[in-house]
């Protein structure tokens, strides 16, 4: 039995990139009976960048519904909100005392985000990877599916876990990060050299999983390609066309080679329409399930509560192991 752990920040929109590259893969991991899956909304991470309270609230409800709409099932997996499980904040503090300022200040994401939010370089922004280490280590995770940009945080999680284990013996399971193969690289529709990002200011660059069908079609029709006319999978020289082929392959559940073969005779405009239509079809059942769930807030909250209870139970055991090893006097009763 393998424990799989991952999380997503409930901020902005859930993009087609998140859907294909992350949560849809979570769903297939859940389908494997050898896996025990734990998925969180990383709402504590979200406040490293200032959030309007009503946005944080609405996005958290929306992302919880989105995860369930993808097919994540609260009966099979643990699905919860990070802020509901206090052990995350507590372990993050403990781990802080085993983490060096130097290593945090060298993290790529910290440097990028400090440049982007230079008016609010708060401690949380720097401490982000330690909280992420706490998330993962609390659940004795074996495998952590993430995107490329998060691999450095998994490395530091491993370093911290090994450091603690070297001092106190076997406290933490040392996790492995991995990048799911399917849909790993869904790129911006306007700049296919860079990743499709939920914070992209250009709305044409990004498909939201909740975009209306006509909006999806419009965005694909405007997708940036190249000045050639040949449809071929060649990420280096034809980033735009290759991105469309990768998306098509996932939407039509076939290999990229097969998608390339089927589309080789099409004009660029026809390829864009085909990709758009397939994505609309892929998202249709998801969209209607989302609409149903988001209308039932009481049900979502009940699921989140049960998820948090299951998560806390696991997290508390790990936290206690570490607290005792450090030498804190156990609270009686
Ligand atoms: N930092 C991750 C991201 O932005 C989200 C995240 C938070 C996460 N905690 C995690 C991912 C633990 C994997 C494991 O994508």
């Amino acid at each position: 039995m393998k424990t799989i752990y991952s999380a997503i920040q409930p901020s902005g929109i859930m993009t087609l990139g998140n859907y294909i590259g992350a949560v849809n893969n979570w769903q297939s991991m859940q389908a494997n009976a050898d896996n025990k899956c734990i998925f969180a909304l990383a709402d504590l991470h979200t406040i490293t960048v200032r959030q309007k309270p009503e946005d944080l609230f609405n996005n958290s409800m929306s992302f919880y519904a989105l995860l369930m709409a993808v097919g994540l099932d609260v009966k099979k997996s643990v699905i919860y909100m990070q802020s509901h499980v206090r052990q995350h904040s507590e372990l993050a503090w403990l781990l802080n005392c085993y983490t060096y300022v130097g290593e945090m200040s060298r993290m790529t994401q910290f440097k990028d985000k400090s440049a982007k939010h230079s008016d609010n370089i708060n401690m949380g922004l720097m401490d982000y990877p330690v909280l992420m280490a706490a998330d993962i280590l609390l659940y004795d995770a074996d495998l952590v599916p993430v995107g490329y940009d998060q691999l450095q945080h998994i490395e530091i999680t491993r370093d911290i876990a090994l450091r603690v284990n070297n001092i106190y013996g076997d406290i933490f399971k040392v996790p492995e990060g991995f990048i799911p193969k399917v849909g790993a690289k869904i790129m911006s529709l306007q700049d296919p050299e860079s990743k499709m990002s939920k914070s992209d200011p250009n709305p044409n660059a990004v498909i939201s999983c909740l975009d209306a069908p006509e909006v999806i079609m419009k965005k694909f029709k405007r997708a940036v390609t190249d000045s050639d006319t040949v449809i071929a999978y060649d990420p280096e020289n034809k980033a735009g066309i290759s991105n469309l082929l990768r998306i098509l392959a996932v939407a039509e559940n076939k290999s990229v080679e097969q998608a390339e073969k089927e589309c080789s005779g099409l004009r660029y405009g026809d390829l864009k329409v085909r990709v758009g239509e397939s994505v609309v079809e892929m998202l249709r059942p998801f969209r209607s399930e989302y609409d149903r769930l988001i209308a039932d807030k009481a049900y979502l909250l009940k699921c989140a509560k049960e998820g948090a209870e299951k998560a806390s139970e696991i997290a508390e055991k790990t936290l206690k192991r570490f607290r005792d090893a450090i030498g804190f006097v156990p609270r009686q009763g």
Side-chain angles (χ1 to χ4, degrees), residues 7 17 28 72 77 90 138 148 178 180 231 254 275 294 316 329:
S28 28
L72 296 181
S77 302
E90 186 174 344
L138 277 174
Y148 286 94
F178 80 101
I231 293 181
K254 51 182 64 142
V275 178
I294 199 68
E316 184 54 30
V329 176

Side-chain angles (χ1 to χ4, degrees), residues 95 98-99 130 133 137 156-165:
L95 294 178
Y98 301 82
T99 306
V130 177
L137 298 178
I156 203 77
T157 299
R158 293 168 54 87
D159 291 348
I160 297 171
L162 286 167
R163 194 173 295 158
V164 167
N165 288 351

Side-chain angles (χ1 to χ4, degrees), residues 5-9 26 40-42 45 82 109 113 128 131-133 135-136 144-147 149-150 153-154 195:
Y5 187 94
S6 199
I8 186 168
Q9 290 194 53
W26 296 1
L41 289 188
H45 279 102
Q82 185 190 31
Q109 181 179 294
K113 286 200 177 169
Y128 185 110
L131 178 59
M132 188 161 154
D135 299 343
I136 298 166
V144 185
V146 285
D149 60 326
Q150 298 297 315
H153 295 159
I154 306 293
K195 183 180 129 175

Side-chain angles (χ1 to χ4, degrees), residues 19-31:
Y19 180 89
I20 294 178
V23 295
N24 208 30
N25 287 310
W26 296 1
Q27 196 265 336
S28 28
M29 291 169 208
Q30 171 188 262

